[in-house]
């Protein structure tokens, strides 16, 4: 039997779990793709390629060259450019595409969340909520928050390219515990937390800690989902690949 080639667009824990499970499915060959943003990425098992494809034309060429049969976009919910490129390239080639997106977070009693639609909107809102800010949206968003009146703790996997004196950088990648997050918020006397609605268990503890301490959260809404088949769990994605690619 000729193996069906599945390209998993990754950069998330779900993508790694998917690659691991699909690696054990007879008749499926998985290739995982990472953008190469993180210096020491946690690698999925199996074949991995790293780096951009070169926009839609590059992705189309790559999919052709590697005779890919199925694409699963398991990128982060905020990796909207990659997702858009996957939609366009698979559309051009007539390949099946599945989007795997873990559900977003849900506000609970006691939360004080302020929903915004962009990082710029978040940056504009923060000064009205507090002056000691925990930023968890990623190092690349740091410049948008520049404000000499505020103090920032910027938690990220890799350091930002540069930062001003009112920014302290904390390198970490989780998973995080509620106790650890409570300690962090207290130690740095955090008055406002900024987060993307990334969803998932790995980084949700900060939201529980913020609720307990009455710290307001500026929550950045996800970009819209593309018009493509979408599932929320790795198990559902495995099932889709088995059926969608005619395997199993
Ligand atoms: P993005 O803005 O949607 O994509 C920008 C460009 O990066 C894409 O056009 C593509 O370059 C390349 N790229 C992105 N994901 C790729 C992948 N899995 N494989 C190969 N190339 C990829 O993406 P982003 O927000 O910078 O995210 C980059 C990576 O970090 C993704 O894998 C994502 O899952 C992960 N991540 C993102 C966030 C976040 O908050 N955005 C958080 C955690 C993890 P070409 O056009 O050259 O193909």
């Amino acid at each position: 039997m000729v193996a069906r080639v599945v390209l998993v667009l990754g950069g998330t824990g779900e993508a790694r779990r998917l690659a691991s499970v699909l690696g054990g499915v007879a008749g499926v060959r998985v290739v995982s793709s990472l953008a190469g943003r993180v210096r020491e990425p946690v690698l999925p098992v199996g074949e991995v390629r790293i780096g951009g494809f070169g926009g839609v034309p590059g992705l189309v060429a790559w999919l052709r060259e590697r005779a890919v049969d199925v694409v699963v976009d398991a990128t982060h919910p905020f990796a909207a450019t990659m997702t858009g490129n996957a939609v366009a390239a698979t559309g051009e080639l007539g390949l099946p595409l599945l989007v795997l997106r873990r559900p977003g977070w849900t506000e609970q009693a006691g939360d004080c969340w302020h929903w915004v639609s962009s990082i710029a909107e978040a940056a504009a809102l923060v000064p009205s909520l507090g002056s000691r800010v925990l930023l968890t949206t990623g190092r690349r968003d740091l410049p948008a928050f520049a404000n000499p009146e505020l103090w920032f703790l910027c938690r990220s996997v890799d350091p930002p390219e540069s930062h001003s004196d009112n920014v302290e950088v904390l390198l970490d990648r989780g998973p995080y515990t509620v106790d650890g997050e409570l300690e962090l918020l207290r130690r740095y006397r955090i008055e406002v937390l900024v987060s993307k609605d990334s969803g998932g268990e790995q980084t949700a503890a900060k939201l529980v800690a913020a609720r307990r301490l009455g710290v307001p959260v500026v929550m950045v809404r996800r970009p819209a989902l593309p018009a493509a088949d979408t599932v929320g769990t790795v198990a559902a994605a495995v099932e889709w690949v088995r059926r969608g690619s005619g395997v199993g």
Side-chain angles (χ1 to χ4, degrees):
M1 175 170 54
V2 180
R4 310 277 287 174
V5 180
V6 180
L7 172 65
V8 176
L9 297 168
T12 59
E14 286 77 13
R16 287 191 295 275
R17 286 207 298 283
L18 180 63
S20 166
V21 178
L22 287 180
V25 175
V28 171
R29 203 171 127 229
V30 186
V31 183
S32 295
S33 175
L34 300 179
R37 294 271 192 280
V38 177
R39 277 187 203 158
E40 290 177 22
V42 184
L43 291 174
V45 294
E47 190 179 338
V48 181
R49 64 160 306 283
I50 299 182
F53 295 95
V56 177
L59 181 56
V60 166
W62 197 92
L63 292 171
R64 271 209 187 103
E65 197 179 296
R66 297 297 301 263
V68 170
D69 297 293
V70 181
V71 179
V72 180
D73 171 26
T75 56
H76 189 270
F78 283 79
T81 304
M82 187 67 250
T83 298
N85 289 357
V87 170
T90 52
E92 197 172 320
L93 295 173
L95 291 180
L97 168 70
L98 179 72
V99 176
L100 167 57
R101 283 286 178 283
R102 59 190 175 222
W105 288 312
T106 310
E107 217 168 333
Q108 295 182 24
D111 280 331
C112 177
W113 291 6
H114 300 261
W115 286 93
V116 295
S117 298
S118 66
I119 291 291
E121 228 182 275
L125 181 63
V126 162
S128 67
L129 298 172
S131 59
R132 296 184 63 83
V133 187
L134 172 57
L135 273 187
T136 63
T137 51
R139 69 194 154 107
R140 284 180 296 153
D141 293 322
L142 179 60
F145 288 89
N147 184 332
E149 308 289 310
L150 308 180
W151 181 87
F152 296 95
L153 180 63
C154 173
R155 183 165 70 186
S156 56
V157 176
D158 285 321
E161 274 178 16
S162 64
H163 63 85
S164 48
D165 289 345
N166 60 339
V167 175
E168 183 167 330
V169 174
L170 178 62
L171 300 182
D172 207 345
R173 71 164 89 203
Y176 303 104
T177 63
V178 173
D179 283 348
E181 299 293 58
L182 283 167
E183 204 274 323
L184 185 84
L185 294 182
R186 285 192 181 115
R187 177 158 36 109
Y188 288 97
R189 292 177 288 116
I190 296 299
E191 295 169 353
V192 52
L193 163 68
V194 185
S195 173
K196 290 174 174 168
D197 180 20
S198 301
E201 293 300 315
Q202 302 272 315
T203 58
K206 62 187 171 188
L207 303 173
V208 179
R211 183 184 314 136
R212 290 204 191 150
L213 297 179
V215 170
V217 177
V218 178
M219 186 67 81
V220 185
R221 259 184 218 100
R222 294 175 169 202
L225 269 173
D229 277 6
T230 303
V231 294
T233 64
V234 171
V238 171
E239 187 51 30
W240 184 93
V241 170
R242 279 176 180 277
R243 282 188 288 106
S245 63
V247 176

